[in-house]
Amino acid sequence: MDKQIIISIGREFGSAGHAIAEKVAQKYNFPFYDYNLLREIATDKDLDIKELEQYDEIPKCSFFTKAVCGVENTKEYNLAMMQFDFLRKKASAGESFVVVGRCSEEILKDFDCMIPIFITGDLEYKIKRVCEVYKMNEELAYQTIISQNKKRKEYHNFYCKGKWGDSRNYELCINSSKIGIDATCDLICDYVDKRANR
């Protein structure tokens, strides 16, 4: 694809959003950014990747927050800013890529080539998938889904004006449990192709 395309995929935990995003990136042969962008940031800034991983997509802890001259100084906040800057630089350089989470539909909204997508799923489907992928029982899977989605929502809503999962912030919202991973990937790619050629 000659045109620059940025595909931003938000997802509920257990919806297979990450797996779907990977498949979309593979289809277009685009770079794929999720937690792996931490490695590039760590290398570029000579930081410890293990320490960065502790604060990836973690809501800011307000109890311990200090602001100096109006500037946040928590590790969660600083890491978020580094990730946002990384994505903006890639987008400004004209690169095409697929990114999962990281408030990308908000921080890259000024790029006309950015296509924001949100993937959800029925609870029963998500529980079954989490049980299979993470080898959990149903009760633990359910609690993990609730906990992870709460963290994602808090993280996103702290940094963004638009609310996490609100359909008005996305061009496509898809329930992957209705048609499965492969068909969801195909649907997204069909939309991207039409959008890129409009």
Side-chain angles (χ1 to χ4, degrees):
M1 188 176 291
D2 293 331
K3 291 185 178 179
Q4 182 186 17
I5 295 291
I6 299 169
I7 303 169
S8 161
I9 296 186
R11 75 287 185 218
E12 291 181 342
F13 191 77
S15 67
H18 189 277
I20 291 164
E22 272 191 304
K23 281 181 170 287
V24 171
Q26 288 167 5
K27 170 156 185 177
Y28 290 113
N29 196 28
F30 285 175
F32 178 61
Y33 296 126
D34 56 354
Y35 51 81
N36 65 1
L37 63 82
L38 296 181
R39 286 194 292 273
E40 297 201 35
I41 291 172
T43 300
D44 182 57
K45 298 185 178 295
D46 195 26
L47 299 171
D48 182 359
I49 181 66
K50 294 297 183 185
E51 183 174 359
L52 293 184
E53 287 173 347
Q54 298 177 49
Y55 303 102
D56 185 34
E57 282 199 307
I58 301 294
K60 188 194 73 163
C61 180
S62 58
F63 183 77
F64 293 107
T65 296
K66 290 191 295 183
V68 180
C69 297
V71 178
E72 300 280 355
N73 70 343
T74 64
K75 292 181 178 180
E76 297 92 341
Y77 181 86
N78 292 336
L79 178 58
M81 292 300 107
M82 284 190 282
Q83 292 187 73
F84 300 163
D85 288 344
F86 174 92
L87 292 171
R88 288 190 191 102
K89 285 177 183 176
K90 293 291 183 182
S92 296
E95 295 187 26
S96 294
F97 55 87
V98 176
V99 55
V100 173
R102 282 138 193 93
C103 303
S104 49
E105 90 289 347
E106 174 95 9
I107 65 167
L108 300 176
K109 66 182 180 181
D110 292 334
F111 293 88
D112 290 338
C113 61
M114 195 274 294
I115 303 173
I117 296 165
F118 193 83
I119 299 175
T120 184
D122 294 343
L123 182 59
E124 295 78 7
Y125 171 86
K126 292 185 290 187
I127 289 173
K128 181 179 179 182
R129 177 168 173 78
V130 170
C131 286
E132 291 173 353
V133 173
Y134 299 99
K135 311 303 180 191
M136 297 179 178
N137 62 43
E138 289 189 0
E139 179 58 29
L140 183 55
Y142 172 77
Q143 294 299 333
T144 302
I145 290 167
I146 299 301
S147 172
Q148 290 297 319
N149 283 339
K150 182 174 183 289
K151 287 179 183 177
R152 288 176 181 177
K153 181 178 181 180
E154 288 175 354
Y155 171 84
H156 182 281
N157 292 354
F158 176 77
Y159 294 107
C160 302
K161 292 180 181 178
K163 299 305 181 185
W164 182 76
D166 185 334
S167 62
R168 291 169 293 187
N169 300 320
Y170 308 92
E171 293 184 24
L172 279 180
C173 291
I174 307 169
N175 185 330
S176 61
S177 64
K178 299 301 185 186
I179 59 176
I181 292 173
D182 290 338
T184 300
C185 175
D186 291 343
L187 190 155
I188 290 171
C189 292
D190 182 60
Y191 180 82
V192 169
D193 290 344
K194 287 182 170 62
R195 169 82 145 70
N197 294 319
R198 74 173 192 267

